[in-house]
Amino acid sequence: MKKWFVLSAAVLLAACAHVNKNTVNYQTSLFDHTRYYVVAGNGPDKASAQANARANMRAALQNGAPDAAQLPVLADVLANAKTEKVWKEKGAKPANYFALAVLDRALAEGMLTPHMDTLDAKLAGFTKKLNAGPEPFAALKLALNMQPFVQERNAYQDLYAFINASQEGYKADDFATYKAALKNAMGSVKVSIQTQGPQHLVLTALITDALNRLGLGVADASATDAPLTVRVETTVDGYESEKVKGLEWCSSGASVSMVDETLGVTFARFHVQDRAGTSRAADSLRRSMQGVGEKASQQISQRMLTYLKIR
């Protein structure tokens, strides 16, 4: 037993002797990663290595929580990251320095939670009103006012979960309740999409995607009782280019009307056009109709939100 212990100690000492303490992996391993978030950076001198470590930490946080990039608190969180270690890489020519930016996870989380508590109080109020059972359009109007607060709260949640050592969100069950209430209210009023004309299914798909991104529910194609309707008629005009020989040009258009069936009101009418020229007529048609669909979808989304907020 004693002989085995002496042999093991010798092996351990030999292993330690070969540890390269000049590596980023070794230096970061010296920190308790359940307590600290550590990011490395390098540069030709100490100052640039420190600056790059901080920049890399900012990039990591923004990549991990993209929606949090515009939150003012992010700058405050990064301001509390410290440069704990700077060292020069041995034998590197030209000179190369490394630095570690170290963020105290608990400190950063504590900077985020007051903002989330404030948002949760507002979301709880909206949820209480929605749970009282208002009629669908009133519920939808509440949901549209609630939506920006959910989006902001979600940005904080993503950042909090990224910083948290266990990648857990803050009061996740409560937040899930608020999001469920929002989703149900947004889907309480269905929109029917009725398209006709050449390549009209392209517009059906694009408009459906746009409305779904808003959180609005889209009625089944066979539904006849949807309270909101988007009607689209497409047109196509193919012609050869006079300016660039050999190209097959296609000009496409779409006439759109948006109707509140409950009130019998057409609250928006507009027309969009787009054109494309390629060596193949079929490709020109596809590209021009895609362009029409994108333009129409954008306007439909904007006009729908404007109308529902003031209805």
Side-chain angles (χ1 to χ4, degrees):
M1 184 70 177
K2 184 176 180 180
K3 183 177 180 181
W4 177 88
F5 176 78
V6 172
L7 180 60
S8 297
V11 172
L12 182 61
L13 287 172
C16 290
H18 289 87
V19 170
N20 185 353
K21 298 181 179 181
N22 196 39
T23 65
V24 170
N25 286 341
Y26 175 80
Q27 293 296 337
T28 57
S29 71
L30 301 179
F31 291 87
D32 180 355
H33 287 268
T34 63
R35 293 184 57 194
Y36 301 102
Y37 178 59
V38 184
V39 175
N42 68 298
D45 51 58
K46 291 182 178 180
S48 60
Q50 291 174 311
N52 288 335
R54 291 179 179 275
N56 289 345
M57 177 168 283
R58 172 182 285 276
L61 294 179
Q62 290 178 341
N63 289 335
D67 291 338
Q70 303 303 318
L71 294 177
V73 73
L74 180 60
D76 297 330
V77 169
L78 290 166
N80 280 274
K82 299 179 180 180
T83 306
E84 297 286 353
K85 180 76 175 179
V86 182
W87 73 96
K88 184 178 181 181
E89 183 180 11
K90 293 181 180 179
K93 292 183 180 180
N96 186 35
Y97 287 83
F98 286 96
L100 299 180
V102 181
L103 179 65
D104 185 309
R105 295 182 190 271
L107 176 63
E109 290 167 5
M111 298 175 69
L112 300 178
T113 53
H115 298 280
M116 289 189 281
D117 286 336
T118 299
L119 288 168
D120 283 349
K122 294 179 181 178
L123 295 176
F126 278 112
T127 300
K128 183 178 180 180
K129 291 179 180 178
L130 290 173
N131 289 341
E135 63 91 18
F137 273 104
L140 180 56
K141 185 175 291 188
L142 276 171
L144 290 171
N145 290 326
M146 179 184 183
Q147 196 173 47
F149 297 109
V150 170
Q151 292 172 342
E152 185 179 2
R153 175 65 166 84
N154 200 63
Y156 276 105
Q157 186 79 324
D158 288 347
L159 182 58
Y160 183 96
F162 184 81
I163 292 172
N164 183 268
S166 301
Q167 297 185 329
E168 296 178 354
Y170 179 68
K171 296 183 179 179
D173 290 341
D174 290 344
F175 187 37
T177 299
Y178 307 145
K179 289 194 291 185
L182 173 68
K183 182 178 180 180
N184 290 336
M186 291 294 290
S188 63
V189 177
K190 301 293 185 182
V191 182
S192 172
I193 303 172
Q194 301 175 9
T195 61
Q196 60 181 0
Q199 297 289 311
H200 67 95
L201 292 180
V202 174
L203 271 73
T204 300
L206 290 171
I207 295 169
T208 299
D209 287 345
L211 294 175
N212 284 338
R213 284 196 299 272
L214 293 179
L216 296 174
V218 176
D220 185 84
S222 61
T224 59
D225 59 348
L228 296 171
T229 303
V230 175
R231 296 191 178 97
V232 182
E233 183 170 357
T234 62
T235 57
V236 174
D237 177 24
Y239 56 96
E240 291 186 354
S241 169
E242 297 179 357
K243 295 182 179 180
V244 184
K245 298 298 182 182
L247 292 184
E248 294 286 343
W249 284 83
C250 181
S251 177
S252 298
S255 296
V256 181
S257 60
M258 302 172 68
V259 182
D260 184 336
E261 304 288 358
T262 305
L263 300 178
V265 174
T266 298
F267 60 89
R269 272 198 184 96
F270 63 91
H271 183 82
V272 292
Q273 285 184 297
D274 199 72
R275 70 173 190 156
T278 71
S279 59
R280 297 176 67 246
D283 290 340
S284 300
L285 172 59
R286 176 179 53 80
R287 290 188 184 182
S288 64
M289 195 59 72
Q290 181 79 18
V292 166
E294 291 171 355
K295 291 178 180 178
S297 297
Q298 183 179 21
Q299 285 209 44
I300 288 169
S301 296
Q302 293 172 346
R303 292 170 185 254
M304 184 70 76
L305 285 179
T306 300
Y307 176 73
L308 292 174
K309 287 178 180 179
I310 63 175
R311 182 186 185 276

